[in-house]
Every structure is written in C-alpha cells, then in structure tokens.
C-alpha cells in the first residue's frame, strides 16, 4: 500500500515516498511525510506497521542527534545505516519487534552518495536504486532497465517520474501525491511534490 | 466486574485468529462488516493478545466499536460530534453513552473502542497534562498531549487495548486535531471520523467542507447531519448526537439532539 523509492546518482541521492496515511480502507491523511531527517545529509524513509514506523524512526533520529551532541561530529551514512540495522536486529527476536521497511539515503564527504535498503527482517544492502511496497514490483524493472550510474539530476527525476506514472497506470491503489527530496553535498533539498496528472 | 454482572447473557470471546498485533483497524472493520461476527448475542473480535488469557472466553466486556465519532477543523475552531449508542452484538446496551471525554477545559477526547480503555487512558492523559502545566507554567499543546497519549498506549501494543480517539483542542498555534489509536497511529489532520459509521460520516463532511468558510452555526449543523446520516445507515450507531465546539477560550457543549427528533426535522425540511 505504501511506496518508497530511492535512486543514487553520481553525486546525489534522489528519494521519494507516497503521502497517504491509510487506516483499513480509508485515507486518514493525504499529506503524511514519511521521511525523517537524521542529520543534514541523511534521510530515513520509513513505512510499515502503524505506530512502529514513527516510534522506531524517531528513536533512531534522536539517537543519531545524541551521538552528535556527545561526540561533536555526526555519524556517516554507513554508520547510521548499520546502527539502524543493529537496532532492528536486536528487537527482531524480542517480544516487540519493529515491523518496518526502511530506505536510508545519505551523502558522505569522503564516500559520496549512498542508498541503503533495510527490511523488517533486518537485512541491509547498499544499492544503487531500491523500492519498498507493492509498487516496487511494478517499478523495479523500470529501474533495472533505465538506470545508469552516471545519471544527472534531471535524468534521475525523469526516471522517478516514469516509475510514478507506471504506478498511476497499473497500481490498483490511488496514490495521489509523492514527497520528493534530493541529498547532495549541499544538504537536503525539496525539489517538488509530485502529483501525477492522471492515468494514461 | 460490575458491568459483567449486568450483562450476564452476553459473552465476549477474544478469539485469537493467529495474527500478531493486528490491532484496532482491521479488527474493527471486520467486526462491523459482519465478516467474523458469530450469530446471536455473542460479540467476537479479531483482537489478538500476545499474553495468555487467564479469564478466557468468560470475560464480559463491552466494546464501543459500533460507534460514530467525528471531528473537523474549520475557520472558527474544531467541531466534535459523536453518537451515544453502545451495543453488545445485536443488543443495544445503552443509548445514552458519553463518548466525549473532557480532558481539561480546552482539550477534548472522543471515545471509540473499549469504553474502559478510552476513559482510563484519557483520564491518565488529563493527569499528565496537569503535571505539564504545573511544571512548565503554561498549557500543554495539542500535539504534545496527543504524543503523550500515543506513547503511553504504544507500550501496550499487541496486548489487547482497543482505543480509537481524537484529541481536539486549541493551543497557541490555533486549533489542533489529532487521531490516536491503540495500534500506535498518531496522525494530525483537519478531519477524522472513527467507528463503524465513520465512512458514512466522511461522505457528508467531505462534501460539506468543500464550501469554504463555514460559520459556527453551519459547522455545527454539518457535524450533526453527518452523525445523523451515519446513525441512519449504521445499525451500531444511534441514540443522541452530542456536539461540542472548541474555540480559543476552550470548549463549549453546543447541543444534544436525539436522532429520531433530527430525523423528523430533516424529513419535514425535505417536504
């Protein structure tokens, strides 16, 4: 029902998430932001079970901030991703596992852009592009076909739009709008909110 | 339990359908759409409890899943409208239930799900809000109050709490409306409807709110109408419509109208 997508370019990461907060068959909220800012150059996109998403994401967010306060410098995206995965893994076999699927996108001074795919079983994979949700089945092949490691910002945006158009065309659920963010060496930017015009 | 002794004939079983933490939402709709309800006067739930039920199927508790509550923001504050029927299976246990909980003079909470869960946790919330006021010498914001409630019930996620509430109030950022439930959802919005009759209510309020700039009177009528229409279609909602208006000075109890009276009034208007 929910959808997350991330595309890594040469010196940026483009991420998008749908904006619907659903409750059974009703859309409770149509402008829900599913991205959590871990730091100036790290975003955590989080979908999954109600309650778990916000609680887990805010827990990670506050801990990343605490690390910065204690140590005077921020965790890198790789470190943040591994920290998040460790927490997921620790809770996995407890009585209260977090049923969440995540994408972590960040930009590191030395390593450049990074996109990390994490799922509710605490798997972690660094990937050039990734998606979560039922919509992923429809769009991963498009990403496979058209992705190139040297995508420019505009090309990545077009690829994203292609994916969203496909969702609009074939996905049974109506996802009216998507939040889009781009991370590069200058931080996080909000290019635009994508509103698909209508099914072809 | 006092209520149990009154409802001797009704028995409720916590049937564990093998789903961990399926929680409030799906359980609610399945129960009201009759997909999993057992015939006669037994109310069954798709609630799963991770700890074993010592009381077993003998526990008799009344749940208010059959309800319609709504709240929406508009120019002059927040309108809160609720019905007042409580059902146990097909038996109407009460037509005069108070489903709006007055947390403090400027915060209201609505009740859907377990009556005890809602009133207990919202009373606890009232205590926390008062402590906040004493510590910080200023009123608590609606966002903070709803977050306190959400965090409190999140601790008990998967243990069988059933609560779907809207925290409505007015703070220094203006009117505030949050939906909080026992599943862990906490969502800010301009319009929410909760309960078995919620979808009928959504239809009325969505179409009524399209016309911008409602006056207080028009907004109250819209809320009353939406609950009435929901009670018309939903068997598990009825009784009276209790209407509250939250404004900058706090909340006011606007009206209590019997649904049958409203029916006659609206029929007469149509003619």
């Amino acid at each position: 029902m929910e959808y997350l997508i991330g595309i890594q370019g040469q010196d940026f990461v483009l991420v998008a998430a749908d904006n619907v907060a659903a409750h059974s068959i009703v859309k409770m909220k149509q402008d829900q932001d599913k991205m959590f800012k871990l730091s100036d150059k790290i975003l955590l996109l989080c979908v999954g079970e109600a309650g778990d998403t916000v609680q887990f994401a805010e827990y990670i967010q506050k801990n990343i901030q605490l690390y910065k306060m204690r140590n005077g410098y921020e965790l890198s995206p790789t470190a943040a991703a591994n920290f998040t995965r460790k927490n997921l893994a620790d809770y996995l076999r407890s009585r209260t596992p977090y049923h969440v699927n995540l994408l972590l996108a960040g930009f590191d001074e030395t390593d450049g852009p990074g996109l990390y795919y994490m799922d509710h079983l605490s798997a972690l994979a660094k990937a050039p592009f990734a998606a979560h949700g039922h919509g992923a089945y429809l769009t991963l092949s498009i990403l496979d076909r058209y992705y190139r490691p040297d995508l420019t910002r505009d090309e990545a945006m077009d690829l994203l739009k292609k994916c969203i158009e496909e969702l609009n065309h074939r996905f049974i659920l109506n996802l009216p709008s998507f939040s889009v963010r781009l991370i590069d060496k200058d931080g996080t930017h909000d290019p635009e909110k994508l509103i698909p015009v209508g099914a072809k | 339990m006092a209520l149990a002794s009154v409802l001797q004939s009704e028995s409720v079983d916590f049937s564990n359908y093998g789903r961990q933490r399926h929680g409030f939402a799906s359980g609610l709709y399945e129960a009201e759409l009759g997909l999993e309800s057992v015939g006669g006067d037994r109310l069954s739930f798709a609630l799963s409890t991770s700890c074993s039920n010592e009381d077993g199927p003998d526990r008799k508790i009344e749940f208010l899943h059959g309800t319609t509550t709504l709240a929406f923001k508009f120019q002059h504050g927040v309108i809160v409208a609720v019905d007042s029927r409580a059902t146990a299976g097909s038996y109407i246990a009460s037509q005069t239930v108070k489903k709006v909980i007055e947390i403090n003079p400027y915060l209201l909470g609505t009740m859907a799900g377990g009556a005890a869960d809602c009133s207990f946790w919202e009373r606890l919330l009232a205590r926390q809000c008062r402590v906040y006021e004493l510590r910080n010498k200023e009123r608590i914001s609606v966002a903070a109050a709803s977050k306190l409630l959400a965090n409190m019930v999140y601790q008990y996620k998967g243990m069988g709490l059933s609560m779907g509430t809207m925290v409505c109030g007015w703070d220094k950022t203006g009117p505030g409306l949050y939906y909080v439930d026992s599943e862990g959802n906490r969502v800010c919005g301009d319009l929410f409807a909760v309960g078995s009759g919620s979808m009928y209510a959504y239809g009325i309020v969505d179409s009524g709110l399209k016309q911008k700039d409602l006056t207080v009177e028009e907004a109250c009528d819209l809320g009353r109408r939406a609950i009435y229409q929901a009670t018309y279609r939903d068997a598990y909602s009825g009784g009276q419509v209790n209407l509250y208006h939250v404004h900058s000075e706090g909340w006011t109890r606007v009206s209590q109208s019997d649904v049958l009276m409203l029916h006659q009034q609206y029929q007469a208007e149509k003619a």
Side-chain angles (χ1 to χ4, degrees):
Chain A
M1 304 247 209
E2 301 178 286
Y3 181 70
L4 297 178
I5 181 173
I7 302 173
Q8 180 191 322
Q10 216 164 18
D11 56 353
F12 66 92
V13 189
L14 184 67
V15 286
D18 76 288
N19 286 331
V20 173
H23 187 79
S24 180
I25 61 169
V26 178
K27 280 190 271 196
M28 291 233 98
K29 198 168 149 82
Q30 317 223 19
D31 54 359
Q32 174 87 314
D33 191 3
K34 301 182 188 182
M35 302 194 197
F36 295 85
K37 197 170 154 190
L38 298 189
S39 78
D40 285 332
K41 294 179 192 168
I42 308 180
L43 275 179
L44 182 68
L45 285 74
C46 190
V47 293
E49 195 169 326
D52 284 355
T53 48
V54 174
Q55 294 281 349
F56 183 72
E58 285 188 354
Y59 173 69
I60 298 294
Q61 195 179 42
K62 305 308 172 205
N63 271 294
I64 303 281
Q65 293 300 311
L66 181 61
Y67 187 95
K68 183 180 173 188
M69 277 183 234
R70 277 184 178 154
N71 301 292
Y73 66 92
E74 288 181 338
L75 276 173
S76 68
T78 317
N82 279 291
F83 171 74
T84 309
R85 191 214 70 86
K86 183 80 170 62
N87 268 293
L88 264 178
D90 286 341
Y91 279 97
L92 184 62
R93 290 187 174 88
S94 71
R95 282 191 316 115
T96 57
Y98 288 107
H99 196 115
V100 292
N101 291 314
L102 311 161
L103 283 183
L104 193 142
F107 190 92
D108 190 27
E109 298 297 324
T110 37
D111 298 331
L115 177 66
Y116 295 87
Y117 170 99
M118 265 175 280
D119 73 2
H120 65 278
L121 295 172
S122 179
L124 171 67
K126 186 173 190 306
F129 57 85
H132 273 301
H134 287 104
Y137 289 101
L138 293 166
T139 52
L140 277 173
S141 50
I142 300 177
L143 289 165
D144 281 328
R145 166 77 179 82
Y146 293 107
Y147 176 80
R148 283 179 349 263
D150 58 350
L151 284 173
T152 65
R153 282 167 175 65
D154 289 330
E155 285 170 349
M157 202 60 177
D158 285 338
L159 182 52
L160 177 63
K161 282 186 183 153
K162 226 190 231 103
C163 291
I164 289 175
E165 269 164 25
E166 176 61 17
L167 282 184
N168 219 38
H169 191 218
R170 284 285 181 193
F171 192 43
I172 197 176
L173 295 184
N174 181 33
L175 294 174
S177 76
F178 294 81
S179 295
V180 183
R181 292 215 166 88
L182 188 135
I183 310 177
D184 62 11
K185 62 172 172 42
D186 301 319
T188 315
H189 313 281
D190 291 349
E192 57 183 292
K193 201 169 211 178
L194 279 185
I195 298 167
V197 183
K200 281 189 203 137
Chain B
M1 290 184 240
L3 206 57
S5 57
V6 169
L7 303 169
Q8 272 307 327
S9 56
E10 274 75 56
S11 67
V12 167
D13 65 69
F14 286 81
S15 1
N16 190 336
Y17 291 88
R19 274 169 299 187
Q20 269 307 102
R21 294 215 228 133
H22 211 169
F24 183 84
S26 356
L28 162 65
Y29 284 100
E30 276 154 356
E32 86 224 17
L33 292 173
L35 292 178
E36 285 172 277
S37 55
V38 181
D41 51 5
R42 288 185 43 180
L43 183 61
S44 60
F45 298 94
L47 281 176
S48 72
T49 46
S50 50
C51 44
S52 60
N53 263 336
E54 308 92 295
D55 300 359
D58 295 324
R59 187 181 298 179
K60 301 162 185 63
I61 299 178
E62 201 166 280
F63 277 74
L64 295 176
H65 284 126
T67 186
T68 312
T69 59
L70 68 85
F72 62 88
K73 277 194 221 177
F74 72 116
Q75 209 189 4
H76 303 283
V78 188
I79 294 287
V80 183
V82 300
D83 77 315
S84 67
R85 177 177 289 187
T87 50
S90 55
Y91 172 69
I92 296 176
S94 169
Q95 294 267 59
T96 53
V97 179
K98 291 278 175 296
K99 296 187 188 178
V100 174
I101 294 153
E102 294 153 10
I103 297 171
N104 63 38
Y106 57 95
L107 271 182
L108 289 176
T110 62
M111 196 200 288
D117 286 336
C118 290
S119 54
F120 175 80
W121 289 104
E122 291 185 19
R123 210 167 128 77
L124 206 52
L125 177 65
R127 180 179 154 282
Q128 284 299 103
C129 290
R130 181 70 186 127
V131 169
Y132 179 99
E133 258 180 44
L134 288 168
R135 282 181 177 154
N136 303 92
K137 280 195 169 181
E138 88 171 347
R139 279 181 182 179
I140 191 171
S141 66
V142 189
S146 59
K147 189 76 176 170
L148 280 174
L149 183 62
N151 286 339
M152 279 194 277
V153 295
Y154 186 72
Q155 312 265 45
Y156 295 87
K157 187 174 160 113
M159 296 188 200
L161 283 188
S162 172
M163 182 194 83
T165 183
M166 293 177 287
V167 180
C168 329
W170 188 293
D171 57 33
K172 55 184 184 212
T173 60
L177 175 57
Y178 283 81
Y179 167 74
V180 178
D181 72 18
S182 47
E183 231 190 304
N185 271 319
R186 173 180 166 267
V187 172
C188 175
D190 291 337
L191 159 65
F192 292 113
V194 183
S196 54
S198 61
M199 279 173 287
Y200 306 114
Y202 268 124
I204 298 290
V205 189
D206 277 334
S207 44
L209 277 184
K210 283 219 174 88
Q211 307 126 25
K212 308 280 160 75
D213 293 352
L214 294 171
T215 65
V216 178
E217 197 54 50
E218 285 169 346
C220 290
D221 281 340
L222 184 63
R224 210 174 287 125
R225 191 76 195 224
I227 297 287
Y228 159 74
Q229 297 287 18
T231 58
Y232 185 70
R233 281 289 176 183
D234 179 30
Y236 298 101
S237 303
Q240 297 113 36
V241 181
N242 285 312
L243 198 72
Y244 287 73
H245 174 216
V246 185
H247 45 80
S248 54
E249 318 289 308
W251 55 259
T252 354
R253 179 114 183 266
V254 173
S255 67
Q256 181 186 58
S257 340
D258 189 290
V259 159
L260 286 171
M261 297 294 156
L262 284 178
H263 177 75
Q264 279 154 13
Q265 181 195 322
Y266 293 136
Q267 291 295 90
E269 279 169 17
K270 253 191 190 171

